[in-house]
Amino acid sequence: MAKKYKREITGDEARMVVIKYPWSENQWYGFVSQEDKKPKATYKAGSKKLLIKKAENAFLEKDTERYVDFDNPEAVVVYKMTNGQSNNLADIKARTIDRECGPFNDEVRKFCTNDAKSITMLHLLSGPIIREKKKGTILHIPTSKAADTIAFLRSIAQSFIGDHHRCGQEIELIQPAYLPTDVRESRLIASAYITDYESETVRLPAVYENTSVVLNNNIIKPMEVVKFVQRNPYCQVLLYGSVPRALQELVVQEFDLDDMGSVSVNWNCNVLRAMTSAFVKSVSDGEVALQAFSWARQMIDLYLIKHQIQYGRRFEMAELYLATAKLLVDFLRTADQLDERAYAELCNLLYNAVLPGCYTPPTESGVPMQAIPLAEENFEDAVQQTISCMLGDYSKFKRMETGEKWPDTDIENGCYGYFHLFDQDHTKKNLQETVLFTVDDFTKLFAQFCPYDCSDAKLLKKKIKQLSEGEAGGCCLKRGDNRDYFGKDNPRKRSVRLVINQLDFLPKEQQAALKAACYSDQTDNSK
């Protein structure tokens, strides 16, 4: 239990404690604080004056031996709950940097083993600066059957938020980083609350502002989650479980636990918790945060110009995460005394996790550029570069005709796919020169030749399906059924059929040679 700072209350004296919440101008709560008695009740009213009057009437009726001098300003203590805490509450668990715990940077790198974990960390660390940019948002993780999921989420909360226990002279504010703390209680007020200082029996809602929290929605009642998020608009939320309909607009990112990789806790939570505490103090100056946002805005603008895409909600969040990453990198550079190489490695890790390809390490740092992940924005470029490489060696393809028995493909032994004249309307008058692959072969080849990192299997499968149906990439005919016969007596299979005439990113000579390869006399007869 944290140390308490006592304020003497004489035996025949009591004080009125008034709490003003930020949710509404007409929500005032309060109770009467006495040294050796539990508060008999809590009161609610639309104004401070009405609240005091209500408490005064109730108090005088029930306890004639003691009194509250409600006319005395010193007998009425007001706590205005803003900026994540009251204007007269002290954080009694404030930490200083413990240099015996080892470099923070090492533990950050242990945690940030992939982009999903890096963004999760930045989402939670952005809580202290969220007011500078916009209202809080939700990072959603759907329910998983993995055995260590809850321990994993608790460790994330303790590493990048940390419990807060703030104390005034009459009240205490309990703000756990992970909710709920009691698995038998579905109401949040049992875990996060404001209580009276003396007996700790009062339960009033806690305020989470300019901070973050991890909520387990499999235990908490959905309406409790909705009320919590709506009452605490300047709080970043990691929500595990289903998303209530009323909050779906606030979801800006969703990761399956599979996206996170291993859920084993192989980082030191105490070191990262000490880092988080020191980092939060370092960004308390609003001017520092504004400078980071200005830098992030420039990075976003350069990215939009380079890729010729429009600004949207995704880039709003990227701006927030980049600003947070900038603040964290600068903090760690000083706290851990990073050299130029370690600094460039950290920038490479975090900036490119948020916005792939936005950061290139200086050549003199000796840090190789991190492989840029395949994304929606770079898919068209990936298609053009990959197909150019894939079709570079014609000997890897066999010319086949409808009605023949086709040999199976064998990527390892040099058979990628087939040159084939496609009878689009079954009239034999509108033959299209094409290169045909099974979708499984094309996916393997795409990952092999692609200049981008294709480790996101879910995205790769989605984009290749869109490519094969003519919805992306501009290389295939538009069709709802992307299946083809691969020779006589073979069943239809999922396929990718590249229309050579649509591969206008290839040199004209290469296009002509590919078309000619579709004919038995090796002559381009399409003209």
Side-chain angles (χ1 to χ4, degrees), residues 296-404:
R297 197 171 297 113
Q298 293 175 15
M299 295 287 281
I300 296 290
D301 288 347
L302 289 172
Y303 189 89
L304 295 175
I305 293 169
K306 178 180 178 181
H307 295 279
Q308 300 183 29
I309 49 182
Q310 293 183 337
Y311 183 80
R313 191 182 187 193
R314 172 176 176 259
F315 294 103
E316 283 185 42
M317 294 312 302
E319 193 173 306
L320 173 63
Y321 294 157
L322 276 177
T324 306
K326 171 68 171 171
L327 291 168
L328 180 62
V329 166
D330 289 348
F331 165 76
L332 291 176
R333 186 178 197 177
T334 301
D336 284 348
Q337 299 180 346
L338 301 179
D339 59 25
E340 288 303 314
R341 182 179 179 87
Y343 175 73
E345 286 176 342
L346 192 60
C347 293
N348 201 25
L349 175 70
L350 298 182
Y351 297 162
N352 286 325
V354 176
L355 207 59
C358 73
Y359 174 80
T360 303
T363 305
E364 60 272 17
S365 71
V367 178
M369 183 173 179
Q370 183 168 312
I372 300 171
L374 182 69
E376 296 279 353
E377 292 77 20
N378 59 32
F379 182 69
E380 187 168 338
D381 180 59
V383 165
Q384 294 180 11
Q385 292 194 55
T386 302
I387 290 178
S388 296
C389 293
M390 200 185 296
L391 300 182
D393 186 352
Y394 304 162
S395 67
K396 303 291 186 183
F397 300 89
K398 298 183 182 296
R399 186 188 67 80
M400 302 308 302
E401 295 183 4
T402 303
E404 294 181 341

Side-chain angles (χ1 to χ4, degrees), residues 414-451:
C415 181
Y416 292 172
Y418 310 95
F419 292 120
H420 182 238
L421 288 173
F422 179 51
D423 187 5
Q424 185 177 353
D425 53 12
H426 305 289
T427 63
K428 297 186 178 181
K429 296 180 180 179
N430 186 25
L431 298 177
Q432 294 269 7
E433 300 91 350
T434 68
V435 187
L436 182 62
F437 305 79
T438 67
V439 75
D440 290 341
D441 286 345
F442 187 85
T443 302
K444 291 176 184 176
L445 291 166
F446 195 97
Q448 176 183 329
F449 289 105
C450 184

